[in-house]
Amino acid sequence: MNKMVKGAIATGVGVILLAGGGGTLATWNQANTASMGSVVAGDLNLAAGAGVWTNAAGTAIPKIADYKVVPGDTLTYTQPLTVTLTGNLMTAKLAVTGASAASGFGDNAVVSATTLTNSKNGKVLADTVLVPADSGVVTASTTFTFKKSTTSTDATKATVDLSGIGYKLEQQAPVSSNNQ
Amino acid sequence: MQSTRALKATGLVLVAVLLGLLTVQGSYALWNKSASTNAGTVQAAEFRVSLTDTITNQATDMTLDDGTAASFSLSTTPSGVVVPGQSSYAGVQLGNATNAGGEFTIRASTGAPVVGGNTGSPLAPYLSVKVVAASSLSQCSQAALYATAPSNGTGTLDIAKAATGVLCFQISLAATMPASLTGQSTRIAVPIIVNQL
């Protein structure tokens, strides 16, 4: 045999030895799961219920569009807001947004600032921090006062649009919050 | 050279800080939810009072479209001349025609009668006007109705929302009127003022 054939045979034997040696790599090993569980997000929600208008006599007004107010009358709009706060570090603030001045009535009427109250805190102010335990109903109340001091026939047929008033529930950043 | 490098390094740090701050701002956008009141629109009522001559049934609003007060002529019964010592009668029906949503009662009051306008009338000292509230015209010509009424022409009438009422007038010519005034005529104006109660 010439040297070329001898070399080829030696190489083949070496490769076979390497393939046979592969079995020696299967040493003891074991796998396991992390058992981290699931990460569940909390919740923040604000739902405005049906509001109710009542007049100075305490009588409910079925449809405000059909009701005409006169000097001396005070209309109160009461609306339930359902606040949902879920999360271990969840905190939020509820605030009134927008405003409607009684511009159509001039100085003869006043629209009060909307107040928010709940059974736990009493008044819910703009800086009141709400926690998940505060979830539930917050009552919003706005009054329209047509002054009894109105004279002559001032402000007859006047109108004021109160649709600009709204509410905003806004989460507050946890103390140790990230910056992302 | 060293100061130039230091300036460049400071600039880079500032840019990095600025970018970092801008990035942090994004983290303020936390969960939030808004809701509307849907409170609608509040509308003021009309202050509208109708006047109806209870004899002719002619009607008008107390306030005209241009905002001025209406002037309303009443028919008298019996028609024709008034004999000294006797009376003539008239009546006007007032209607509370407001569209107010709640209670809205008004009070109509009559002021002192003006006889003969700005120039006056020689008949004025001999004329007296009494005003009483009534529920219908048929009562206006009943002399007994005016028995306790003041002779200065003042009277009041309260009218609930969507209701009507009648102001009756008794115009009497004194029996002591001198004969020299016979045949004279005059105009008697009675101001009516209506207020919300």
Side-chain angles (χ1 to χ4, degrees):
Chain A
M1 282 193 281
N2 59 25
K3 287 180 181 178
M4 286 291 287
V5 174
K6 286 178 181 175
I9 291 170
T11 303
V13 170
V15 169
I16 291 167
L17 285 172
L18 281 174
T24 61
L25 294 176
T27 56
W28 282 350
N29 62 77
Q30 188 177 21
N32 210 334
T33 56
S35 298
M36 293 175 68
S38 301
V39 174
V40 181
D43 191 15
L44 177 146
N45 195 29
L46 176 67
V52 176
W53 280 102
T54 53
N55 66 8
T59 306
I61 301 167
K63 191 176 179 184
I64 191 64
D66 295 340
Y67 189 89
K68 305 294 189 294
V69 66
V70 299
D73 200 352
T74 300
L75 304 183
T76 303
Y77 186 69
T78 307
Q79 186 172 33
L81 307 173
T82 302
V83 172
T84 303
L85 295 173
T86 308
N88 293 62
L89 295 183
M90 170 62 78
T91 58
K93 291 180 180 177
L94 179 62
V96 177
T97 59
S100 293
S103 56
F105 289 79
D107 295 331
N108 299 302
V110 176
V111 178
S112 74
T114 301
T115 59
L116 303 172
T117 56
N118 68 4
S119 58
K120 183 184 171 190
N121 303 297
K123 279 191 176 180
V124 177
L125 305 174
D127 59 354
T128 301
V129 177
L130 303 174
V131 296
D134 295 316
S135 292
V137 175
V138 173
T139 302
S141 181
T142 307
T143 60
F144 171 87
T145 304
F146 198 170
K147 295 180 183 175
K148 194 178 178 181
S149 58
T150 303
T151 59
S152 186
T153 54
D154 291 352
T156 52
K157 304 179 191 175
T159 62
V160 57
D161 183 3
L162 299 172
S163 61
I165 299 174
Y167 318 102
K168 186 175 186 181
L169 181 64
E170 192 165 23
Q171 182 198 350
Q172 302 301 296
V175 176
S176 54
S177 64
N178 58 58
N179 292 330
Q180 296 181 27
Chain B
M1 285 296 287
Q2 281 187 342
S3 60
T4 307
R5 285 178 183 169
L7 280 173
K8 284 181 179 176
T10 306
L12 283 171
V13 168
L14 284 174
V15 170
V17 168
L18 184 62
L19 286 171
L21 287 174
L22 289 172
T23 307
V24 168
Q25 277 190 335
S27 68
Y28 289 131
L30 300 167
W31 280 347
N32 64 81
K33 181 79 182 288
S34 297
S36 173
T37 58
N38 293 320
T41 299
V42 173
Q43 303 173 71
E46 289 182 85
F47 186 18
R48 187 166 161 245
V49 179
S50 64
L51 298 173
T52 306
D53 183 337
T54 50
I55 295 175
T56 65
N57 231 19
Q58 185 186 353
T60 185
D61 279 354
M62 274 192 77
T63 303
L64 303 177
D65 291 340
D66 61 2
T68 59
S71 181
F72 197 59
S73 297
L74 299 178
S75 307
T76 57
T77 181
S79 57
V81 298
V82 181
V83 177
Q86 294 188 354
S87 301
S88 185
Y89 301 93
V92 61
Q93 178 179 278
L94 287 83
N96 183 353
T98 184
N99 59 354
E103 292 180 8
F104 189 76
T105 301
I106 58 174
R107 172 167 292 172
S109 307
T110 55
V114 178
V115 180
N118 295 332
T119 56
S121 167
L123 288 173
Y126 306 102
L127 282 171
S128 66
V129 178
K130 288 184 175 182
V131 181
V132 294
S135 55
S136 69
L137 167 67
S138 60
Q139 296 174 291
C140 288
S141 56
Q142 298 171 9
L145 189 70
Y146 305 89
T148 58
S151 56
N152 60 1
T154 58
T156 60
L157 170 67
D158 291 353
I159 309 171
K161 185 175 74 171
T164 59
V166 174
L167 283 174
C168 292
F169 303 93
Q170 181 192 53
I171 304 101
S172 302
L173 190 57
T176 56
M177 186 197 82
S180 59
L181 296 178
T182 302
Q184 292 215 15
S185 64
T186 189
R187 178 186 178 91
I188 303 171
V190 180
I192 300 175
I193 300 166
V194 179
N195 288 306
Q196 174 193 356
L197 286 182

